[in-house]
């Protein structure tokens, strides 16, 4: 456990050499994946207004956080693969495992994603944490690949662009999966937005009672 | 003393963590209510009892709802200066019902004595303030309720919080004889943070009551809330010595003059906001809007405030 927190500390302090050393330690990848999973769940907690808006039950709420963590983790693995592909294009031959470690550990700032719950400050805080997370990913890549920061930034950006393209291409084919995941975890039909939820009130006074 | 100095950083740390926890928990009451995790307490307003078989009394000419500032601990009692203000206002406005028992800083309860998180603490604070309204623990209430105002302002939580506040206002109005659908105008008087909650609730009050909603803000700390679109008119009362008024203008970007398209600046441009300077009045305390301390012309401050509010209500009736 001490190593786990030490890894988080190295990530938060953007300590490239410590991250490079940690990458080769036994259980490093598992620790990074745990960080990514917990960060995804924490971020979901910070954004949980969407669950409340959809009247998700208490019991399902915890399940939704876990599912959000897993989905977040899956997204990061895809990002890791796209960075690996970009690295191949640029002539680097690096194991996917190493890149996945860097991307996973880079999510350490988002362990504080639950702070996005804070009224008024939450939305800005989320952006700050996401930028911070991106910086940690770049620092971690730079450390574990032993490349310059700008090279790591370039790889990160290229991988991100590739992932964004992939996301767009797969939006439609994966729509069914998303809906299934939403229904399975929340027990609610298609997600509604705050505006949807509240728009009904104008025409039907007090539908929320009872 | 030495122990205190040695552990000062620890104490500051604990206080900051407590503040953070309080802020994080702030949205949960209204969100939990919307999600069905929590239900509202049964209505116990002191008004005419609602008996469906009884002959309904005639409606009053107008209805006024007063929402207090962030020092408010319960809908069941008010600070002495506010009791005085409401009594004077009632005396000045015949055929008017003034509702002052709404708690604007909780969706599912009407007083901190019913707060779920840290119930023992809030029960103690409420009792302390009941015994002595100027008790130091009042600062805890200020901080807690400040976070609730922040929830009202937040674009993510505000719609739910403000809907809950509107529900509280409607319940109180009905308990005092208001008939939903009658179209009788409702005047919201919001003091300090109560003005923000009033403005936020106006979005739903205007639609659910199908009646004109007018806001009288007394030292109000209000954002450019979407409620600006729904409120018929705002009377904005501000004292020259009210520091909170300046903070509201700076803290909310939608109130900056450069944000021409914000709901606030739009209604200002449409002349739906009447700015009324109140002279040398402070936000609260001995020189506040409800104080009996005399103004330079010799009249008590509260008398001037009542006079301006009365004029605003009669002019808008």
């Amino acid at each position: 456990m001490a190593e786990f927190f030490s890894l988080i500390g190295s990530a938060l302090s953007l300590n490239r050499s410590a991250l490079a050393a940690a990458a080769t330690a036994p259980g490093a990848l598992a620790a990074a994946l745990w960080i990514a999973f917990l960060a995804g769940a924490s971020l979901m907690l910070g954004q949980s207004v969407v669950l409340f808006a959809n009247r998700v039950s208490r019991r399902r709420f915890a399940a939704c956080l876990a599912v959000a963590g897993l989905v977040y983790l899956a997204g990061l693995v895809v990002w890791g693969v796209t960075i690996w592909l970009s690295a191949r294009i640029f002539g680097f031959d690096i194991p996917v495992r190493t890149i996945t470690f860097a991307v996973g550990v880079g999510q350490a700032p988002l362990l504080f994603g639950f702070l996005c719950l804070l009224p008024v400050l939450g939305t800005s805080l989320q952006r700050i944490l996401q930028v911070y997370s991106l910086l940690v990913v770049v620092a971690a890549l730079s450390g574990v690949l032993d490349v310059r920061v700008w090279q790591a930034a370039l790889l990160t950006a290229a991988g991100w662009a590739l992932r964004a393209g992939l996301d767009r291409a797969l939006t439609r084919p994966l729509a069914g999966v998303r809906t299934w995941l939403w229904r399975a975890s929340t027990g609610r039909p298609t997600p509604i937005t705050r505006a949807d939820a509240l728009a009904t009130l104008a025409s039907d006074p007090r539908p929320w009672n009872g | 003393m030495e122990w205190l100095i040695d552990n000062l950083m620890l104490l500051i740390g604990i206080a900051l963590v407590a503040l953070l926890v309080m802020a994080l928990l702030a949205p949960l009451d209204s969100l939990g209510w919307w999600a069905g995790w929590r239900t509202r307490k049964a209505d116990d307003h002191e008004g005419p009892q609602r008996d469906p078989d009884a002959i309904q009394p005639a409606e009053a000419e107008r209805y006024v709802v007063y929402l207090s500032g962030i020092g408010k601990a319960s809908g069941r009692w008010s600070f002495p200066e506010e009791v005085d203000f409401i009594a004077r206002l009632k005396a000045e406005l015949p055929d008017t019902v003034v509702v002052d028992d709404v708690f604007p800083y909780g969706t599912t309860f009407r007083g901190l004595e019913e707060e779920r998180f840290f119930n023992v603490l809030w029960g103690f604070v409420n009792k302390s303030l009941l015994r002595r309204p100027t008790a130091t623990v009042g600062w805890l209430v200020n901080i807690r309720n400040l976070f609730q105002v922040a929830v009202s302002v937040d674009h993510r939580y505000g719609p739910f919080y403000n809907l809950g506040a509107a529900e509280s206002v409607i319940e109180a109005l009905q308990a005092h004889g208001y008939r939903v659908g009658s179209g009788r105008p409702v005047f919201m008087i919001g003091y300090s943070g109560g003005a923000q909650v009033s403005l936020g609730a106006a979005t739903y009050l205007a639609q659910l009551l199908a009646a004109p909603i007018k806001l009288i803000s007394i030292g109000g700390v209000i954002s450019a809330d979407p409620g600006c679109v729904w409120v018929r008119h705002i009377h904005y009362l501000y004292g020259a010595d009210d520091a909170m008024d300046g903070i509201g203008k700076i803290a909310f970007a939608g109130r900056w003059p450069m944000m021409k398209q914000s709901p606030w600046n739009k209604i200002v441009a449409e002349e739906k906001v009447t700015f009324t300077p109140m002279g040398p009045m402070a936000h609260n305390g001995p020189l506040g809007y409800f104080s009996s301390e005399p103004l330079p012309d010799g009249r008590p401050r509260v008398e001037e405030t009542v006079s301006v509010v009365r004029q605003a209500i009669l002019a808008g009736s």
Side-chain angles (χ1 to χ4, degrees), chain A residues 46 49 52-58 61 114-123 194 197-198 201-202 204-206 208-209, chain B residues 20 23-24 26-28 31-35 37 147 150-151 153-157 159-160 163 167 170-171 174 204 207-208:
Chain A
V49 63
F52 284 107
N54 282 280
R55 293 179 161 157
V56 170
S57 69
R58 283 172 202 258
F61 193 87
F114 68 92
L115 292 176
C116 302
L117 261 179
L118 286 173
V120 180
L121 301 176
T123 313
R194 289 192 309 275
L198 295 162
L201 293 164
D204 185 11
R206 302 187 167 209
W208 62 90
N209 277 342
Chain B
L20 187 65
L24 287 170
L28 298 187
L31 290 179
W33 163 70
W34 169 265
W37 294 14
F147 289 137
V151 172
V153 170
D154 192 299
H155 71 279
R156 300 167 299 168
Y157 309 133
F160 304 106
L163 175 63
E167 166 82 339
I170 292 171
E171 268 182 17
Q174 287 184 310
Y204 306 104
Q207 295 176 82
L208 298 175

Side-chain angles (χ1 to χ4, degrees), chain B residues 277-278 281 295 297 299-309:
Chain B
M278 297 294 288
M281 290 203 196
L295 286 163
D297 65 6
R299 285 181 310 137
R301 282 171 161 74
V302 64
E303 195 176 303
E304 170 67 0
T305 305
V306 168
S307 169
V308 172
V309 170

